[in-house]
Amino acid sequence: MTRQLSRISSRVAAIAESATLKVDSRAKALQAQGRPVISFAAGEPDFPTPEHIVAAAVEAARDPKNHRYTPAAGLPQLREAIAAKTLRDSGLTVEPSQIVVTNGGKQAVYQSFAALLDPGDEVLVPTPFWTTYPEAIKLAGGVPVEVFAGADQGYLVTVEQLEAARTPRTKVLLFVSPSNPTGAVYPPERVEAVGRWALENGLWVISDEIYQNLTYGDVRARSIVDAVPELADRAILVNGVAKTYAMTGWRVGWMLGPADVMKAAANLQSHLSSNVSNVSQRAAIAALTGPQDAVEAMRRAFERRRTVIVDGLNGIDGIDCPTPDGAFYAYPDVSGLLGRTWRGHTPTTSLELAELLLDEAEVAAVPGEAFGPSGYLRLSYALGDEALAEGITRLRRLFA
Ligand code: PMP
């Protein structure tokens, strides 16, 4: 008898489709059919990339020197600009050689886990989590260990919770502040407490700082390596231009950390994807070193929309939405809407609730199941003011 070979490797077959991209593409498909769907699903700013950045890319595309490979880890000039940004915003001094420019922050997340994890190593993942983390951990052979913090604790895990989840197999703590999907920002003292705990227990920290420039009111995101400098030898920072500069499509992110780990990650990348598009790298240099006023204008727009969405959601009976301090997501607890009947449907999970929203109100939102437990929705407020207001009106009408 011939041996039955599986078509797909078990490792890759186990990867779930990105739920956020799935909801967003379903919304876009409905829009393409002419349905007036309002999508709160996308994780990207609605603004075009600022003009001076686009101009730098156009110029770069015309210059033949940018038609060639760069070092796999990125253009030296970009790595210098990233080092300056890191000192400014994360309080950490790094050499350009400690930086690897990646195809978006997403590749940096993958390569961080790939560089650190051996089979069976556990990673503590504060939950609700960004959908990609557990998949990236599993692909690297690791085991994600969820540490849940709900709306009642502002979506912030405590040191006690982390300690309770730690085992002899724990190698890495994933830290993300501001968070996708909750928008929660850890207060400086909590960042320090978490960092000290990680240091004392010999853990590595992968800190995803991609939303660090998007905070509101008086809140500032403190880097864990700024709070606990001794952690720098066991920390990888992940960042990128996507969210701050409205550059999601340009695919420029980076990872930085101890020289030996970055060398290993750069070796991996040299076989995986080589350098990020030269033109995009040049655009990223313009973003990081050029005027920052467009960034501030976008941040203010998000801040304004945040008020509209949080007030709108909290005005609906059955929804409890903490005010997010950063990123551009509202993450309401919608358990008060479940088990009740709306237009003949009785959703019992947030997944069913999200389907109801799309079918009955033509509003797309990502269900909590994509990020951890049921009972929540993620609504991005990085959409136009009018669409935002209309979306809220539809929700109010549906749940009246
Ligand atoms: N980290 C977090 C928390 C994110 O939300 C995202 C984008 N959704 C990324 C990393 C990756 O962003 P990109 O690959 O577009 O740079």
Side-chain angles (χ1 to χ4, degrees):
M1 214 171 71
T2 51
R3 190 159 65 100
Q4 272 299 321
L5 298 171
S6 62
R7 290 169 65 82
I8 314 276
S9 72
S10 50
R11 201 177 61 259
V12 172
I15 298 175
E17 179 182 356
S18 163
T20 47
L21 295 183
K22 190 166 153 189
V23 176
D24 193 48
S25 60
R26 193 164 161 225
K28 283 184 177 138
L30 288 170
Q31 282 166 343
Q33 290 167 20
R35 301 254 313 262
V37 171
I38 293 191
S39 181
F40 290 96
E44 56 182 347
D46 60 315
F47 301 105
T49 302
E51 188 46 43
H52 70 279
I53 301 173
V54 176
V58 169
E59 198 184 314
R62 294 220 161 87
D63 183 346
K65 86 168 180 288
N66 295 317
H67 303 170
R68 305 283 170 253
Y69 295 128
T70 74
L75 287 167
Q77 202 188 335
L78 175 55
R79 287 193 277 166
E80 268 163 37
I82 292 168
K85 185 236 181 326
T86 305
L87 181 58
R88 187 172 68 232
D89 293 343
S90 304
L92 180 71
T93 303
V94 280
E95 295 297 324
S97 60
Q98 290 175 261
I99 297 167
V100 179
V101 179
T102 57
N103 199 60
K106 198 172 259 189
Q107 186 174 10
V109 167
Y110 269 87
Q111 289 180 176
S112 298
F113 290 123
L116 292 182
L117 299 180
D118 275 316
D121 285 344
E122 293 175 0
V123 181
L124 298 179
V125 182
T127 303
F129 49 74
W130 179 44
T131 15
T132 290
Y133 298 138
E135 305 301 337
I137 293 165
K138 286 186 270 179
L139 200 57
V143 179
V145 176
E146 296 178 19
V147 182
F148 180 73
D152 55 330
Q153 52 186 100
Y155 302 118
L156 302 172
V157 297
T158 62
V159 168
E160 292 70 32
Q161 286 179 297
L162 294 171
E163 179 59 21
R166 188 172 64 85
T167 76
R169 299 304 313 254
T170 309
K171 180 165 183 187
V172 179
L173 165 70
L174 178 85
F175 191 71
V176 52
S177 171
S179 150
N180 174 8
T182 66
V185 180
Y186 281 77
E189 326 72 66
R190 184 80 69 93
V191 176
E192 189 176 340
V194 169
R196 290 249 157 261
W197 169 84
L199 182 72
E200 281 158 15
N201 288 290
L203 301 183
W204 284 78
V205 176
I206 296 176
S207 180
D208 184 341
E209 304 192 334
I210 202 150
Y211 294 101
Q212 77 179 163
N213 298 118
L214 292 174
T215 59
Y216 310 112
D218 300 333
V219 174
R220 297 285 171 273
R222 186 172 196 198
S223 178
I224 200 158
V225 290
D226 184 33
V228 184
E230 309 94 296
L231 205 51
D233 189 47
R234 276 204 312 271
I236 298 179
L237 305 190
V238 170
N239 211 323
V241 293
K243 316 289 176 172
T244 309
Y245 296 95
M247 290 179 71
T248 46
W250 297 79
R251 310 311 302 135
V252 183
W254 55 87
M255 58 197 296
L256 57 91
D260 55 340
V261 181
M262 291 306 116
K263 178 79 180 94
N267 287 348
L268 169 62
Q269 182 166 313
S270 75
H271 293 291
L272 196 65
S273 56
S274 300
N275 65 276
V276 170
S277 154
N278 242 325
V279 171
S280 287
Q281 291 194 66
R282 297 277 171 197
I285 294 170
L288 293 176
T289 60
Q292 303 293 307
D293 34 326
V295 169
E296 178 56 13
M298 291 189 279
R299 195 197 62 80
R300 280 174 200 259
F302 293 140
E303 184 153 34
R304 197 178 61 239
R305 295 168 187 176
R306 176 184 73 141
T307 308
V308 174
I309 196 163
V310 171
D311 290 354
L313 290 171
N314 281 326
I316 297 171
D317 181 36
I319 296 187
D320 171 22
C321 187
T323 301
D325 285 321
F328 37 61
Y329 307 102
Y331 203 68
D333 180 336
V334 292
S335 49
L337 293 174
L338 303 179
R340 292 161 68 181
T341 302
W342 315 97
R343 302 203 187 156
H345 303 269
T346 310
T348 57
T349 62
S350 45
L351 193 61
E352 290 170 6
L353 188 74
E355 279 166 9
L356 173 72
L357 293 189
L358 197 52
D359 294 341
E360 295 292 332
E362 297 186 309
V363 165
V366 187
E369 284 84 344
F371 313 104
S374 179
Y376 301 85
L377 290 178
R378 190 193 75 173
L379 295 96
S380 160
Y381 49 90
L383 76 177
D385 294 288
E386 273 177 39
L388 178 59
E390 169 62 17
I392 295 291
T393 304
R394 291 188 196 177
L395 293 181
R396 280 176 178 274
R397 228 182 277 138
L398 177 62
F399 298 119

